[in-house]
């Protein structure tokens, strides 16, 4: 016991700066925002901050805009399965050690270390409805391209200002444009590297044994390799869901301004707008904590059912 | 291990003390520059240089990185705010005043012989005046007028009227100026930004709020006429580009996006904009520009953009910062912004003075300033909320997916919901609202 005490004395000077920094700049603000979410704190009325209980949470649950922004956030996450399977596919290809695979690996990872702003400006040009390369290519094929970032339409036909679907909204628009860009950005990123690392850890003997037993490539992949990748897939899935729920801010800020007509405003962007454009810090804190609750809940569900699958 | 740990800790303590001792003394009053958060417009450099030359030993340093309203408020509350900061509209002013950031300079200006109401144009008053008290002075005023490419008009043999005129007179001209080739428009007759909706409202005599600000009336017949006109210029008269056409024009020639650049590249014969456009248009070579008064509807009224500069209430050097406000009211400053084309002087005494270098249509700006009217504000709903809602609804009108009537009906309902929410949740606002309602009923 005495030894532990002496150790603490020696460690304290080294640990304290970090601990104090964490308390002051991470834990403190997080707790502060939790407290703020129960107040009517507005930056424009600093003298009249009052405890309002759950009012902010009730207001946001009754606010149709909150649900629209949550739906927009959910929509932006539609690309997650495609990017996970795309990453896996690329990792499998690169793992074959074909000539030039190092070059391809670098090229595919490029979007991950390129400035996000630069990528978004590039995609904004690609999506130009009149003279963007995408629509020009479609025109060559005799297809009239969509209006991309300028259109409120979406493949699910979701309404712009309320919940539900309508025929006029079916099409391809700003939401889909951002989803496609998200898939492109993430497909060759860290998920691909994680899968590559995981693939190198799959015992070769297992694959060879399956092939000796007459399994073709697809069967040996599906029956042997895929189960071995389950922990990696589980991790990537959890991180993608968390990232997806927190995402959409940069795209809205740089490419669309949250429009057209608010169709690309996600929860992350609406928190920013509420806090730093409308100055409703209390309400914005409540939205932040609600988003945290949604992330926590979804992760817990994913963890419960996903880890059960893993253990099985 | 223990001596080593304590030794390192001791060295760090000694190092910190040494640094504290070596820190230079703070500069005395007048030698440390006042910090002014404003935009990074290249014209600011010259404006700062002139102040520094005229007000020695006092000087100002521009801080464009911290000009965001949220930064000014948060930094000022933390005691590290700027000495001077810009304010762009009445909504911002109300936020700054209510946050306790803006210094009430009514008495100070009075001692300096300056009266905001008497000396400056009314369109800029909402940026500085809150509930009868003055919090700053306008730096410029920029009403809209009609920019034209003179040679395009000459080639078509079109002469525009030099005085007031109406949209009905302008639309046939804009049609004549619109050039089509193989079904595609090569040159538009008229360019305008949809954020300029207040300009169209003004011309139709439309208001955003009733007199007391208790109700939003953007669904009034006058407001509908204004939005219908914007819609019709694009979809009925086809003299202005749709959003898709505008985006196409922006990337085709490589001259960048934005109405100013499109106009500078002669993608349109005329455009609605302020004098400050000249700052960008000067970069295009060989332009032969002229300016005419903007067409109007039932009312010869225009909206105006502009900035005001306020003083931070908690600045330890606010008395010195008053010198900067005096500079904004001075003739050298007015002459400078007139020469720079950074809008027009906001002080009546400096308006309409001849320029050293003649500028075509310069007198139009002076006339537009006289007919510019203040923006609308309501104490019950944030100006940002109004802008956001109007922007979203106009997005739908602009893309042709919602009728002006439906869009304005939705906008009015949403803004009125915002007012109702503020009244319901804030007792101070509620009390004020009830008093206003009594006045409305009387």
């Amino acid at each position: 016991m005495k030894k532990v005490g002496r150790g603490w004395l020696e460690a304290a000077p080294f640990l304290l700066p970090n601990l104090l920094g964490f308390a002051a700049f991470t834990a403190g603000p997080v707790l502060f925002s939790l407290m703020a979410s129960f107040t009517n704190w507005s930056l424009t009325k600093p003298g009249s901050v009052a405890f309002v209980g759950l009012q902010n949470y009730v207001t946001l649950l009754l606010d149709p805009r909150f649900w629209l922004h949550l739906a927009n956030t959910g929509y932006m996450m539609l690309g997650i399965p495609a990017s996970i399977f795309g990453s896996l596919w690329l990792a499998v290809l690169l793992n074959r050690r074909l000539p030039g695979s190092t070059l391809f690996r670098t090229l595919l990872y490029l979007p991950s270390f390129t400035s996000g702003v630069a990528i978004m400006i590039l995609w904004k040009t690609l999506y130009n409805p009149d003279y963007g390369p995408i629509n020009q290519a479609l025109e060559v094929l005799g297809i009239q391209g969509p209006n991309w970032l300028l259109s409120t339409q979406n493949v699910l036909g979701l309404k712009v200002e309320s919940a539900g679907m309508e025929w006029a909204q079916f099409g391809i628009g700003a939401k889909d444009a951002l989803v496609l860009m998200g898939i492109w950005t993430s497909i060759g990123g860290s998920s691909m590297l994680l899968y590559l690392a995981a693939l190198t850890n799959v015992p070769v003997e297992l694959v060879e044994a399956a092939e000796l037993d007459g399994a073709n490539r697809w069967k040996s992949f599906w029956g042997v390799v895929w189960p071995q990748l389950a922990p990696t897939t589980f991790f990537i899935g959890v991180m993608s869901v968390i990232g997806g729920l927190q995402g959409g801010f940069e795209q809205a800020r740089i490419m669309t301004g949250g429009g057209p007509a608010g169709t690309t405003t996600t929860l992350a962007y609406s928190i920013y707008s509420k806090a730093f454009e409308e100055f409703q810090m209390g309400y914005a804190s409540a939205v932040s904590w609600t988003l945290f609750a949604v992330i926590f809940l979804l992760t817990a569900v994913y963890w419960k059912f996903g880890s059960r699958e893993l253990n099985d | 291990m223990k001596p080593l740990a304590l030794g390192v800790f001791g060295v760090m303590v000694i190092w910190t003390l040494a640094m504290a001792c070596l820190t230079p003394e703070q500069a005395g009053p007048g030698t440390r520059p006042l910090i002014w958060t404003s935009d990074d417009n290249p014209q600011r450099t010259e404006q700062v240089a002139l102040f520094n030359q005229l007000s020695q030993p006092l000087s100002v340093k521009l801080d464009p990185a911290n000009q965001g309203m949220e930064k000014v408020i948060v930094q000022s509350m933390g005691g590290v705010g700027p000495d001077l900061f810009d304010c762009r509209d009445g909504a911002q002013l109300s936020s700054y005043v209510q946050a306790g950031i803006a210094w009430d300079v009514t008495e100070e200006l009075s001692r300096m012989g300056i009266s905001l109401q008497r000396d400056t144009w009314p369109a800029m008053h909402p940026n500085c005046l809150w509930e009868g008290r003055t919090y700053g002075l306008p730096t410029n005023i920029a009403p809209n007028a009609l920019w034209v490419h003179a040679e395009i008009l000459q080639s078509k043999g079109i002469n525009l009227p030099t005085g007031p005129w109406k949209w009905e007179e302008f639309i046939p001209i804009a049609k004549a100026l619109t050039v089509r080739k193989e079904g595609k428009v090569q040159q538009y007759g008229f360019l305008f930004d949809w954020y300029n909706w207040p300009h169209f409202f003004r011309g139709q005599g439309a208001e955003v709020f009733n007199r007391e600000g208790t109700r939003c009336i953007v669904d009034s017949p006058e407001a509908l006429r204004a939005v219908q006109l914007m819609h019709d210029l694009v979809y009925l008269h086809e003299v202005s580009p749709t959003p898709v056409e505008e985006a196409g024009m922006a990337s085709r020639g490589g001259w960048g996006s934005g109405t100013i650049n499109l106009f500078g590249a002669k993608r349109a014969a005329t455009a609605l904009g302020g004098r400050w456009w000249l700052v960008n248009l000067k970069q295009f070579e060989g332009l032969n520009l002229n300016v005419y008064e903007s067409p109007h509807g039932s009312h010869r009224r225009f909206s105006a953009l502009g900035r005001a500069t306020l003083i931070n209430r908690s600045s330890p050097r606010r008395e010195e910062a008053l010198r900067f406000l005096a500079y904004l009211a001075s003739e050298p400053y007015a002459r400078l912004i007139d020469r720079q084309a950074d809008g027009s002087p906001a002080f009546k005494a400096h308006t309409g003075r001849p320029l050293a270098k003649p500028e075509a249509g310069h007198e139009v700006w002076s006339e537009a300033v006289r007919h510019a009217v203040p923006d609308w504000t309501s104490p019950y709903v944030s100006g940002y909320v109004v802008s956001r809602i109007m922007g979203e609804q106009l997005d739908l009108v602009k893309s042709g997916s919602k009728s002006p009537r439906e869009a304005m009906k939705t906008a009015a309902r949403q803004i009125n919901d915002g007012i109702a929410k503020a009244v319901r949740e804030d007792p101070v606002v509620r009390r004020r609202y009830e008093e206003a309602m009594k006045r409305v009923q009387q």
Side-chain angles (χ1 to χ4, degrees), chain A residues 17-306:
Chain A
N18 198 353
L19 281 176
L20 289 175
F22 175 76
F25 299 114
T26 306
V30 166
L31 288 176
F32 182 77
S33 78
L34 178 63
M35 288 191 292
S37 74
F38 298 107
T39 69
N40 62 356
W41 181 32
S42 163
L43 272 185
T44 59
K45 296 170 191 168
S48 60
V49 181
F51 178 77
V52 293
L54 292 171
Q55 187 182 302
N56 286 329
Y57 291 92
V58 174
T59 306
L60 80 87
L61 292 176
L62 296 174
D63 182 1
R65 294 182 65 81
F66 169 77
W67 295 105
L68 279 176
H69 297 158
L70 185 61
N72 288 344
T73 310
Y75 195 101
M76 301 298 174
M77 292 166 66
L78 290 178
I80 290 177
S83 49
I84 290 178
F85 284 105
S87 301
L88 174 62
W89 180 62
L90 287 178
V92 170
L93 284 180
L94 292 174
N95 196 43
R96 289 191 176 179
R97 307 200 183 284
L98 298 169
S101 61
T102 313
L103 175 71
F104 280 114
R105 205 177 290 190
T106 312
L107 286 177
L108 289 166
Y109 198 65
L110 257 178
S112 299
F113 57 79
T114 307
S115 152
V117 175
I119 286 175
M120 285 167 206
I121 290 170
L122 173 80
W123 274 89
K124 210 174 162 181
T125 310
L126 291 175
Y127 281 139
N128 189 292
D130 227 359
Y131 294 96
I134 297 175
N135 276 13
Q136 282 195 332
L138 290 172
E139 205 176 316
V140 171
L141 299 171
I143 302 165
Q144 197 195 340
N147 288 336
W148 295 112
L149 298 172
L150 301 173
S151 170
T152 57
Q153 290 184 324
N154 54 86
V155 290
L156 297 183
L158 298 178
K159 284 182 178 176
V160 177
E161 295 177 279
S162 56
M165 295 154 88
E166 65 179 333
W167 184 248
Q169 281 302 313
F170 276 104
I172 294 176
K175 281 180 184 167
D176 309 294
L178 296 188
V179 169
L180 286 175
M181 187 188 76
I183 293 172
W184 178 84
T185 314
S186 59
I187 206 165
S190 49
S191 304
M192 182 191 75
L193 289 188
L194 286 167
Y195 271 129
L196 258 176
L199 281 168
T200 55
N201 287 333
V202 175
V204 185
E205 305 83 51
L206 286 177
V207 181
E208 286 172 352
E211 282 172 359
L212 281 175
D213 287 343
N216 59 20
R217 269 191 181 170
W218 171 247
K219 277 189 175 168
S220 68
F221 175 80
W222 195 243
V224 178
V225 179
W226 174 244
Q228 296 287 319
L229 297 177
T232 308
T233 307
F234 178 70
F235 174 75
I236 292 173
V238 170
M239 296 313 288
S240 299
V241 168
I242 293 173
L245 284 165
Q246 293 174 336
F249 176 79
E250 293 93 340
Q251 292 91 324
R253 190 86 176 135
I254 294 159
M255 295 176 77
T256 62
T263 48
T264 56
T265 302
T266 58
L267 278 180
Y269 191 64
S270 79
I271 290 168
Y272 169 80
S273 295
K274 283 284 171 198
F276 298 111
E277 287 174 335
E278 294 182 35
F279 302 113
Q280 296 179 27
M281 305 305 273
Y283 185 84
S285 300
V287 181
S288 303
W289 278 92
T290 307
L291 176 61
F292 168 76
V294 171
I295 291 172
F296 186 81
L297 203 74
L298 274 180
T299 310
V301 169
Y302 202 87
W303 198 268
K304 185 172 171 62
F305 293 102

Side-chain angles (χ1 to χ4, degrees), chain B residues 32-348:
Chain B
R32 189 162 55 91
L34 294 163
I35 302 298
W36 176 30
T37 56
S38 184
D39 55 24
D40 54 359
N41 185 324
Q43 314 300 324
R44 275 328 144 250
T45 316
E46 214 178 338
Q47 292 164 13
V48 165
L50 180 63
F51 174 78
N52 293 348
Q53 183 197 328
L54 296 174
S55 314
Q56 285 176 345
L58 198 60
S59 65
V60 151
K61 192 178 171 190
L62 195 66
D63 180 17
N66 289 306
Q67 60 157 326
M69 193 177 158
E70 74 281 5
K71 289 180 185 171
V72 171
I73 291 182
V74 172
Q75 289 174 0
S76 298
M77 283 176 165
V80 290
D83 302 296
L84 295 147
F85 54 93
D86 280 358
C87 171
R88 292 180 177 276
D89 53 42
Q92 282 198 359
L93 179 68
S94 72
S95 299
Y96 284 134
V97 173
Q98 290 179 68
I101 306 294
W103 184 31
D104 179 349
V105 290
T106 315
E107 275 77 37
E108 283 72 13
L109 288 180
S110 175
R111 276 199 292 276
M112 290 156 67
I114 300 170
S115 159
L116 178 79
Q117 287 99 323
R118 183 194 62 210
D119 301 338
T120 65
W121 293 108
M124 287 300 103
H125 291 176
N127 297 21
C128 319
L129 198 64
W130 174 255
E131 297 189 334
R133 308 295 296 174
T134 306
Y135 291 89
L137 286 177
T139 54
N140 62 353
I141 178 168
N144 287 317
L146 191 74
W147 284 100
V148 302
H149 285 295
E151 78 280 10
I152 295 178
L153 266 74
Q154 279 162 11
S155 70
K156 298 265 180 187
I158 294 171
N159 287 313
L160 299 184
T162 48
W165 59 322
K166 297 208 164 186
W167 286 108
E168 298 89 79
E169 297 169 73
F170 172 71
I171 288 166
I173 294 172
K175 280 181 177 171
L177 291 168
T178 304
V179 179
R180 287 184 173 78
K181 196 178 171 188
E182 294 166 3
K184 284 206 168 184
V185 178
Q186 300 294 305
Q187 175 191 284
Y188 287 90
F190 178 57
L191 278 181
F192 69 95
D193 285 301
W194 281 71
Y195 69 71
N196 260 325
W197 60 267
H199 182 87
F200 290 85
F201 267 51
R202 287 303 184 199
Q204 301 294 342
E207 301 288 340
V208 173
F209 299 105
N210 63 358
R211 192 181 292 271
E212 295 289 340
T214 53
R215 197 164 64 86
C216 173
I217 50 171
V218 293
D219 53 351
S220 69
E222 296 81 13
L224 289 183
R225 269 205 303 275
V227 181
Q228 190 68 51
L229 172 63
M230 295 168 79
H231 174 271
D232 289 351
L233 286 167
V234 176
Y235 291 102
L236 180 68
H237 309 302
E238 296 179 340
V239 296
S240 301
T242 63
V244 174
E245 289 165 341
E246 202 174 309
M249 284 199 296
S251 65
R252 186 163 37 168
W255 45 71
S257 59
T259 313
I260 306 175
N261 290 337
L262 292 174
F263 178 71
K266 297 190 184 174
R267 303 294 302 160
T270 71
L272 184 76
R275 184 162 177 258
W276 55 278
W277 276 33
L278 208 51
V279 176
N280 284 41
L281 291 173
K282 277 176 186 170
Q283 294 164 12
F284 292 84
E285 282 181 17
L287 293 188
N288 183 7
L289 299 169
N290 207 343
V291 186
Y292 292 85
E293 184 170 314
S294 163
H296 60 83
S298 53
H299 292 63
R300 191 187 176 198
R301 286 182 189 165
F302 311 115
S303 67
L305 299 173
R307 297 175 298 112
T309 298
L310 317 183
I311 297 176
N312 189 338
R313 197 177 72 161
S314 55
S315 162
R317 309 177 63 207
R318 60 187 201 181
E319 298 292 337
E320 290 171 61
L322 279 170
R323 294 265 296 276
F324 191 76
L325 295 194
Y327 166 67
L328 296 179
S330 71
E331 192 177 339
Y333 173 76
R335 278 197 187 150
L336 176 63
I337 62 162
D338 230 352
R339 178 171 63 73
Q340 291 179 320
D342 183 21
S344 300
F347 280 74
K348 292 175 186 172

